[in-house]
Amino acid sequence: MSERKTTHFGFQEVAVEDKARRVADVFHSVAAKYDLMNDLMSGGIHRLWKRFTIELSGVRRGHKVLDIAGGTGDLSYKFSKLVGPEGLVALADINASMLNVGRDRLTDRGVAGNIVYNQADAQYLPYPDNTFDCITIAFGLRNVTDKDLALESMLRVLKPGGRLLVLEFSKPKHNMLEKIYDQYSFKVLPFMGKLVTNDSESYRYLAESIRMHPDQDTLKEMMENAGFSRCTYHNMTGGIVALHYGVKP
């Protein structure tokens, strides 16, 4: 009898087939107040991180863009303006609650006509080969069970010359900053989660998932192994967040 395959869910070891369900439970719980918590957790700085992602994307009129783990639609909103009526933005998220919040939010902001919403798993993207000019995944890759499989799936649906941008929490570059960040992540975040969403455990998981995510150089190597070229990354806020970039040859 073969051994049951496991992966990490935060600091816990869980069966591979259980991780997606557990991650889904986390985001079902926090979806309604996800944006508010992002602003509180980062002091609003997440908006600057996302703005830099938009600038590096090179997206322009007529492009097709895939926003994976697009959640409440911050990036999709900006991309919909850039691609214009000739272009298309696909906002994809594996979590129905997050996707519904994103759809409602963008509809309220008047976005229509050039955006579609897909409940989709990053590991098995439901799009034809060579479809998109740009793919972004912001604060979502660390929640994917098989990151290598997801990167290969992203490469497949990108057009040759298309860009992948991965915005994700990473490893701080200075020991003192890392110590302060650890205290903040494991003490303050769960407390804030309890106050705002009445859910400290989901934010404890989010802090743990950040620590289990590959560091900057490891993720760059994973992108290269998946087949991306010209891979690089930019540290932001002392390496607390990194933006990785790669091109489909």
Side-chain angles (χ1 to χ4, degrees), residues 34-35 38 45-57 59 65-83 88-92 102 105-106 109 111 114-115 117 134-140 164-168 236 243-244:
Y34 185 76
D35 286 331
N38 276 350
I45 297 174
H46 74 99
R47 299 177 187 278
L48 298 178
W49 300 332
K50 291 171 182 174
R51 185 183 301 170
F52 183 56
T53 304
I54 297 284
E55 290 172 356
L56 203 63
S57 72
V59 168
V65 180
L66 173 59
D67 182 15
I68 301 174
T72 54
D74 283 352
L75 291 177
S76 289
Y77 177 75
K78 299 290 188 183
F79 284 135
S80 72
K81 303 296 184 187
L82 288 173
V83 303
L88 179 72
V89 177
L91 193 166
R105 186 177 176 214
L106 292 181
R109 298 178 80 179
V111 178
N114 69 349
I115 189 163
Y117 302 91
C134 179
I135 295 175
T136 57
I137 178 166
F139 306 113
L164 169 66
L165 293 110
V166 180
L167 181 65
E168 189 55 89
M236 294 181 280
L243 177 62
H244 282 69

Side-chain angles (χ1 to χ4, degrees), residues 141-199:
L141 187 61
R142 72 180 186 279
N143 297 310
V144 175
T145 303
D146 189 332
K147 296 172 181 60
D148 293 311
L149 186 61
L151 290 169
E152 290 168 6
S153 185
M154 294 174 207
L155 184 77
R156 179 184 65 78
V157 302
L158 267 178
K159 295 177 182 177
R163 302 179 179 189
L164 169 66
L165 293 110
V166 180
L167 181 65
E168 189 55 89
F169 292 108
S170 200
K171 184 174 175 57
K173 294 287 93 182
H174 305 287
N175 289 337
M176 185 57 70
L177 178 60
E178 186 170 18
K179 289 175 182 176
I180 295 170
Y181 184 46
D182 276 345
Q183 288 293 313
Y184 176 76
S185 298
F186 291 105
K187 298 286 179 62
V188 179
L189 284 192
F191 178 70
M192 289 170 59
K194 178 68 174 175
L195 285 180
V196 177
T197 69
N198 198 32
D199 183 355

Side-chain angles (χ1 to χ4, degrees), residues 73-131:
D74 283 352
L75 291 177
S76 289
Y77 177 75
K78 299 290 188 183
F79 284 135
S80 72
K81 303 296 184 187
L82 288 173
V83 303
E86 305 95 336
L88 179 72
V89 177
L91 193 166
D93 203 295
I94 195 171
N95 187 278
S97 297
M98 293 293 288
L99 195 63
N100 288 336
V101 170
R103 181 189 291 112
D104 291 346
R105 186 177 176 214
L106 292 181
T107 300
D108 289 345
R109 298 178 80 179
V111 178
N114 69 349
I115 189 163
V116 295
Y117 302 91
N118 305 120
Q119 188 171 357
D121 185 337
Q123 300 168 122
Y124 310 102
L125 293 169
Y127 309 104
D129 296 359
N130 308 315
T131 297

